Each structure stands twice: as structure tokens, then as C-alpha cells.
Amino acid sequence: MSSGAIVADQLVKRFGSDVTAVNRVSFEVKTGEIFGFLGPNGAGKSTTVAMLTTLVLPSAGHAHVGGFDVVSQAAQVRRIAGVALQEIGLDPLMKSTELLTIQGQLFGMSRKEAQKRAFELLELVKLADVTKRPVGKYSGGMRRRLDLALALVHRPEILFLDEPTTGLDPASRRDVWAEVRRLNREYGMTIFLTTQYLEEADELADRIAIIDKGQIAVEGQPQELKAALGSESINVTFKDGESVELAKHALGDMFEKVQIDRKTLKLYRNGAAEVVPAVVNRLNTQALVPVALTLTQPTLDDVFLQVTGQSFQPDAKTAEVA
Amino acid sequence: MASITSTRRLPAQAEHHAPARMPFVQQVTMMTWRSLVTNFRVPGVILPPLIISAFFLLIYESTLGGASGFLPGLRGQSYLGFILPLSIVSAALSGAGVAGQSIVRDIENGYFDKLMLTPISRGALLLGPMVAGAVILVLQTTVVIMVALFMGLEPVTGLPGLLTVIGFALLLGTAFAGWTVGIALMSGNAAATQGASFLFFPLSFLTATFVPLDLLSGWIKVAATYNPITYILDAMRTTINIGWNAEIMAGGVAACLIMGLVLFAFAMHGLRVRTRRR
């Protein structure tokens, strides 16, 4: 067996006979690593987390967390893994200290120890001054932070965070990022993080896997994946799809790779900046008028576009505003 | 990356690493306490059963109390003493919903799953809310009895008789809680759990509700004969109005136990369905 902190081997999860939520997913997360599991809504991220954290049984394949089998050694997995699910599971009638103390006691601490740990964690997630308020009166960001604290009560070696920043405002999101980095740096905690934000994976993860329609599309270090695209891109946006097609014909021979992303033509090559005047000239001679023209370094969005043939569009983008 | 270091845990962490598991009895006590605390934070759960049973008591006594002299089966017994057990049965049956509601709340807000990720015993998940429901039920029954005493109830068996009546309420309520808890676990749905409590109606009305069993006839007499509530009512009524009667008492206890065993098995089945990994 491999020595990785988390090893998934050909994991499959079927619901009923026609829905395959996760389809032969394999990856390995090394001890002490932050692993980003990236994909749009419904790609199979949460189902994978549910299997790894013993909540759901795989239909086929195997997985080990901390060396323990998620099917036959579920109790051991629960003891070394901390889990903050996407659906925050908090009783709104209870107070933060009560929730944390119960959690600690269930993991075998004495009441006193559990209370001490509760206050430690409330300091850590900056909720120490709202202990009198029932959790139901917390803001979304506060609830997330408390949920994170609950996942940390038993000092897990491996932490699963399922979309920890979905629905958070940018400031709360940065707080969570800082906390994730700190846990990883100071405690050497292995962190498995799912996200639908490319930026988040880029920012936090040592390595990422992109999952799309239940399958791993690509896996590697963010820099490595971007570098594999090898080139900068010129992005030319038009008013309509027809112009994009015409432009693709007109410019295709100048570039190593061309992709269409809705009304934008993405043109990849090394030293893209040098050919911007030539691009503009050719568009002029074809009477194609762009709405916008930008020059960018490769992003994870480009990686995603390349491996899946479609742009990465998190459905919950509107949730950022909420 | 710099974060991949050999210090997997700080020394302080290893030192504090949690021991095996919280003992079962302590788990149940803790989950009971937690359930009580949260239930008392939603008076909407606790007050309605209490108000309903006090209301029944007042209405039945004032509308039917005067007619009790014409009811040959009562043989001059107090109608208040006859009707109080019905009011207590209502309190017990509707109060039994508390346990189911607690569980369904946890399932709906996701806390149930959170608990499932800890080394909690599944039995404690079930017993915590049920024991808390029973404690609340005893409090409710006590209040209803105090209302009856205030209205002039004079139980022939005195305080021990009243304590016996509370004991029956506890048995019946806990037994019936198995039903609401089972439905809560299987459906995970508040409306379905609420709906399940409606079984309370046939149980408490297809029985010797307003008149003694002897005075019933036809299909309702058949229904009442097979309804375990009939025997529980009879045991409570006899204790309050007539005196200690071992045989009737045994009938009441047996009815509670049979109901309890069947419905507890149902709740256990619900627990298995809910906690089975799929």
C-alpha cells in the first residue's frame, strides 16, 4: 500500500443505475500537503469527500486515509480526519462552546479538557467574543469559522474542507485562506480542499486535481499545469460568435494553439506580445472589429479550458455577493 | 513547498491526543442534557401539548362533568378523576413528538451528520432525545395533574396514586416516542414526523374515551378492546377513582410494554436505515 496521507484508487460512486457521480477517480495526497480538488458544481467533489470521510460507501474502488481503509476501518479514519462539509452542520439553538465541548467529549476528552479546547479554538477562529449568542444568529462567515473549529477539536492529522469559502464575502474568504495556510504550516496538517474557485486553488494548493463530470481531467502543481500550456495568450473578444469563427480562420496559422471560449478567441504562443500588432492588422484587413483585446499569462482557467474543452464557470458565483 | 515538514504534530498535540472513547452511559447523559437544553430553547415544542391537555381537561369536565351522574358505568365516581387520565394520555402522546422533532431538527440542519463523523454510539443518538422527551413528559404530566388538583380532584390513592399515574404517562410517552423517532429517522422530514403524531387521534379516541368500556358497543367497542390505550386508561382511572387493583394495573403495564417493545424495535430499524452507509 502507498504511504500517502490520502490514496484514492479507482473510486466509483453510482447513484441508482444511471447516475455515476464519481467515475474511476484515482489520486494520492502526500503527508503535509495542501491538495486542491477543483471542479464546477456537480462535478463529483462532494461525493468524493463523502466517500473519503466515511459518510458514503464507494460503489467500487478503494480509498485509504492515513493508511486506514475508508470502508473497513471507518472508525479509525474518523479519529484522524477532521471534516468541514459544504453543508454546515450546526444546531442553531446551541452555543459555540456547547457544540465544541460536546464534540471534544465525544472524542474522549474530559469535560474540563473539552471546555479548555473549546476556548482555545474560539480564540483561533476569532469567535471568542460571541459565545453568548446562539449559533443560529451567526453570520455565514462566523458559522463557517465555527464549523472549521469543530473539525479541529480532536486535533486531526488530515483535514477535509469541502468548499470552505463558498458563499463567503472576500474578507472572510481571505481569513479562511490564512487559517488553512497556518494549520498546514504550523501543524503540518494534510489538507484536502475542494473548491470551485480557480483562484483559491491557485492561491492555496501545493497540488491540484481538476475533476469534471466525475472524472479527473488533470492533476499536478498549479505552476506546472500552467507552464505546460507553455505560453501567454492574446484574448480577443467579439460581439458575436460568427466574428469569432472568422477571426479564428484569419489568425489560426500564427499561433501554436487556438481556443474559443464563448465570444472570446484565445490565441496561445510564446512571445505573444510581439505579435499583437500583426493580429490587429489582420483583423483590420478582414474588417473584424474586436470589443476587447487583452494579453494574459496562462491561468488555471486556461488549463481547465484546455483539458475539458469548456470554460470554468462556477455556478455559485452569485453567492459571493450574498 | 516549505510546509511539507517532518513535524506532523506539535509535541503539545501528541500529549493531548484523545483517548479511546466516551463511555456509553456518559454519552447518553450528555446527549440527553443537550436535547433538554435545546428543547427548552424552543417553547413552541413544549407548550402546545401542555396547553392541549389542560384545555381538554377543562372542556371535558365542564361540558360532560354534569352528565356524569347519568352514566351508570361510573357508579358515582368523580368524572374529573375519570377524564384526567385521558388528558394525560393526550399529553403523553403529543408530548412524545418532542423526541421525534429533536431528531428531525438535527437531520435537517445537518448536525446529525456531524455527530455521525464522531465516535458517538448510535444508541446514544437515539436514547438522548428519547430520555429528554421522557423528562419533559413527566414535567408536563405533573402540570396537568396540578391543574386537576386545583379543579378539585381528590384521588382515592393519594400521592402514591398520582405518582403511579405519572409513571404510566412516562411509560406510554416513551413507548409512543419510538414511533415518532422511527418516522423521523426514516423520513428525515419534519412534516412527515409531525404527520406521524396524528396516530395519536385514533389511539386516544378509538378507546373508552368519554365513557367506560362497558357502555361502548359495536365496532368502537371492538376497536377499544384491541387498543392498548384502553388498558392504560383503565389502570390510571382505577388508581385515581377506585383504589389499587393489581390485575388492572398489570394490564396497563403490559399494554405499555407491548407498545413500547414494538415501537422501540421500529425506532431501532429507523436508526439502522438512517445510519447505514450507502
Side-chain angles (χ1 to χ4, degrees):
Chain A
M1 195 186 64
S2 171
S3 61
I6 306 170
V7 182
D9 180 19
Q10 300 280 311
L11 271 185
V12 176
K13 184 65 193 179
R14 280 183 289 268
F15 293 107
S17 56
D18 50 349
V19 182
T20 305
V22 174
N23 194 1
R24 299 160 80 81
V25 160
S26 300
F27 55 82
E28 187 178 326
V29 180
K30 298 187 195 85
T31 301
E33 186 174 52
I34 301 183
F35 189 81
F37 203 53
L38 182 66
N41 262 359
K45 300 188 297 289
S46 292
T47 308
T48 305
V49 170
M51 286 190 279
L52 294 176
T53 56
T54 77
L55 278 174
V56 160
L57 288 175
S59 308
H62 298 279
H64 286 83
V65 172
F68 297 112
D69 187 290
V70 298
V71 176
S72 59
Q73 296 174 300
Q76 287 94 322
V77 170
R78 285 173 200 179
R79 195 164 283 286
I80 59 155
V83 186
L85 295 174
Q86 190 181 348
E87 303 284 332
I88 305 176
L90 300 174
D91 181 347
L93 296 168
M94 291 170 80
K95 292 173 186 161
S96 57
T97 42
E98 295 166 344
L99 283 164
L100 288 163
T101 309
I102 287 180
Q103 188 91 356
Q105 286 184 271
L106 285 174
F107 275 103
M109 298 179 194
S110 71
R111 190 167 163 71
K112 240 182 163 167
E113 272 178 310
Q115 278 170 334
K116 189 168 156 259
R117 180 77 179 141
F119 284 108
E120 246 170 62
L121 287 167
L122 288 171
E123 287 289 342
L124 186 87
V125 297
K126 302 192 187 77
L127 289 173
D129 51 346
V130 285
T131 52
K132 296 223 159 51
R133 219 186 290 175
V135 171
K137 300 230 162 93
Y138 279 18
S139 70
M142 289 159 83
R143 246 175 275 182
R144 276 275 174 222
R145 271 154 34 216
L146 178 58
D147 200 45
L148 179 61
L150 274 167
L152 296 173
V153 165
H154 59 297
R155 301 182 168 86
E157 295 170 23
I158 300 168
L159 184 63
F160 289 89
L161 300 173
D162 193 7
E163 301 203 13
T165 64
T166 297
L168 291 191
D169 60 78
S172 306
R173 175 170 302 171
R174 299 220 162 254
D175 282 351
V176 171
W177 289 358
E179 194 47 45
V180 167
R181 276 198 208 97
R182 205 185 71 84
L183 289 167
N184 175 256
R185 198 177 51 237
E186 290 184 17
Y187 300 97
M189 209 177 267
T190 306
I191 296 171
F192 184 95
L193 166 128
T194 78
T195 180
Q196 45 175 323
Y197 303 116
L198 295 153
E199 184 199 1
E200 184 162 295
D202 210 356
E203 185 83 17
L204 285 178
D206 301 321
R207 273 188 323 123
I208 62 164
I210 293 180
I211 182 169
D212 184 43
K213 300 188 185 78
Q215 288 179 301
I216 302 260
V218 68
E219 188 193 330
Q221 295 178 352
Q223 299 85 334
E224 180 184 286
L225 294 175
K226 285 184 284 190
L229 282 178
S231 41
E232 304 163 304
S233 69
I234 298 173
N235 315 304
V236 199
T237 307
F238 295 93
K239 271 206 298 277
D240 52 71
E242 197 188 340
S243 308
V244 181
E245 286 294 340
L246 290 170
K248 186 181 171 186
H249 268 281
L251 300 166
D253 63 307
M254 291 168 65
F255 293 88
E256 293 153 19
K257 189 169 169 53
V258 180
Q259 284 267 3
I260 292 178
D261 176 13
R262 281 155 297 171
K263 289 176 189 168
T264 300
L265 186 65
K266 295 196 160 192
L267 306 153
Y268 298 90
R269 67 170 276 172
N270 286 320
E274 296 156 26
V275 298
V276 170
V279 167
V280 174
N281 273 338
R282 282 216 192 162
L283 290 176
N284 255 338
T285 53
Q286 302 280 324
L288 290 165
V289 185
V291 180
L293 190 148
T294 58
L295 181 72
T296 55
Q297 298 299 315
T299 64
L300 278 182
D301 199 4
D302 297 316
V303 174
F304 190 83
L305 182 63
Q306 198 187 19
V307 295
T308 67
Q310 54 178 317
S311 185
F312 193 94
Q313 289 171 280
D315 298 351
K317 208 141 207 176
T318 45
E320 280 178 60
V321 189
Chain B
M1 196 152 165
S3 57
I4 306 173
T5 64
S6 57
T7 46
R8 284 183 58 186
R9 273 190 242 145
L10 288 183
Q13 276 190 303
E15 204 176 284
H16 280 121
H17 209 60
R21 185 179 204 182
M22 191 182 199
F24 179 71
V25 176
Q26 267 172 268
Q27 285 191 27
V28 174
T29 315
M30 184 174 75
M31 295 318 286
T32 302
W33 167 83
R34 180 245 150 188
S35 201
L36 277 175
V37 168
T38 49
N39 274 313
F40 276 105
R41 286 179 192 162
V42 252
V45 174
I46 295 176
L47 288 178
L50 195 59
I51 294 168
I52 288 169
S53 35
F55 178 78
F56 276 178
L57 192 61
L58 281 168
I59 295 296
Y60 295 155
E61 166 63 11
S62 44
T63 54
L64 297 168
S68 61
F70 306 109
L71 285 175
L74 270 181
R75 291 177 289 269
Q77 298 162 28
S78 139
Y79 194 73
L80 183 59
F82 179 80
I83 213 72
L84 171 66
L86 177 68
S87 175
I88 289 173
V89 164
S90 314
L93 294 184
S94 49
V98 168
Q101 291 299 335
S102 309
I103 286 184
V104 97
R105 257 202 328 266
D106 283 349
I107 293 173
E108 286 189 334
N109 63 36
Y111 189 55
F112 196 87
D113 270 350
K114 181 122 267 177
L115 290 173
M116 285 296 294
L117 286 166
T118 71
I120 194 170
S121 134
R122 289 166 187 208
L125 279 174
L126 184 74
L127 288 176
M130 284 184 78
V131 176
V135 171
I136 292 169
L137 199 70
V138 167
L139 295 177
Q140 287 170 331
T141 312
T142 308
V143 173
V144 174
I145 287 179
M146 276 160 54
V147 171
L149 288 171
F150 184 72
M151 287 165 67
L153 177 76
E154 287 173 16
V156 296
T157 47
L159 183 64
L162 292 181
L163 291 177
T164 306
V165 168
I166 292 177
F168 272 114
L170 182 63
L171 279 177
L172 172 63
T174 310
F176 194 65
W179 166 248
T180 61
V181 162
I183 295 287
L185 286 166
M186 273 184 242
S187 69
N189 178 300
T193 308
Q194 193 85 48
S197 310
F198 279 105
L199 184 66
F200 138 82
F201 279 107
L203 275 180
S204 55
F205 290 101
L206 296 182
T207 177
T209 314
F210 303 111
V211 296
L213 185 60
D214 313 340
L215 295 190
L216 297 175
S217 61
W219 66 271
I220 197 148
K221 179 156 191 172
V222 176
T225 308
Y226 288 102
N227 186 346
I229 300 289
T230 306
Y231 304 93
I232 301 164
L233 275 178
D234 198 20
M236 289 199 257
R237 284 169 172 168
T238 307
T239 306
I240 295 173
N241 270 351
I242 299 169
W244 301 108
N245 181 322
E247 198 184 321
I248 292 179
M249 192 86 86
V253 173
C256 285
L257 291 182
I258 290 169
M259 234 177 116
L261 282 177
V262 171
L263 295 178
F264 192 73
F266 178 70
M268 287 301 291
H269 173 69
L271 183 67
R272 262 194 300 275
V273 169
R274 169 61 51 184
T275 58
R276 191 197 302 140
R277 291 195 285 159
R278 270 164 273 234

